[in-house]
Amino acid sequence: MPGLAKGAMHKVDTVLDAVEEILKPRKLSELTASRISKFVAESRDGERSESTIAGYLAHLRAAQSWAVNVGMLPAVPRITKPKRAKET
């Protein structure tokens, strides 16, 4: 993702570090929709806010789209923004 601004690249690095810490993927292709769902669940357990998780997913999707464009992935996994039930 060489064309990104320094701040955006820092955010992508932060997201990818979190993914590596939680999921420990060996290959990019291991980041399937079900594994990303696990990432979301464990991110919540780690006290990350919903807006932080949504931002992580947006950056992860952008990184995966880039990987598709350069031929590293066949397709971007379908990621739906998770909605957490509101507490009353």
Side-chain angles (χ1 to χ4, degrees):
M1 304 180 70
L4 291 180
K6 190 181 249 186
M9 194 60 200
H10 177 70
K11 289 178 185 177
V12 171
D13 283 340
T14 300
V15 172
L16 295 178
D17 287 347
V19 168
E20 287 178 357
E21 177 186 328
I22 292 172
L23 299 179
K24 298 172 182 35
R26 292 172 297 182
K27 298 184 293 186
L28 191 56
S29 61
E30 290 179 3
L31 295 180
T32 61
S34 63
R35 298 275 292 157
I36 293 169
S37 178
K38 178 182 177 182
F39 171 72
V40 170
E42 292 195 23
S43 292
R44 283 187 177 133
D45 290 346
E47 302 300 319
R48 289 183 174 99
S49 71
E50 293 300 309
S51 62
T52 297
I53 294 168
Y56 277 18
L57 291 178
H59 282 89
L60 183 57
R61 180 172 177 78
Q64 289 177 314
S65 292
W66 172 84
V68 168
N69 288 337
V70 297
M72 296 173 73
L73 277 180
V76 175
R78 182 171 168 85
I79 302 171
T80 56
K81 287 187 180 180
K83 294 183 181 173
R84 188 174 215 179
K86 292 183 180 181
E87 295 180 21
T88 57

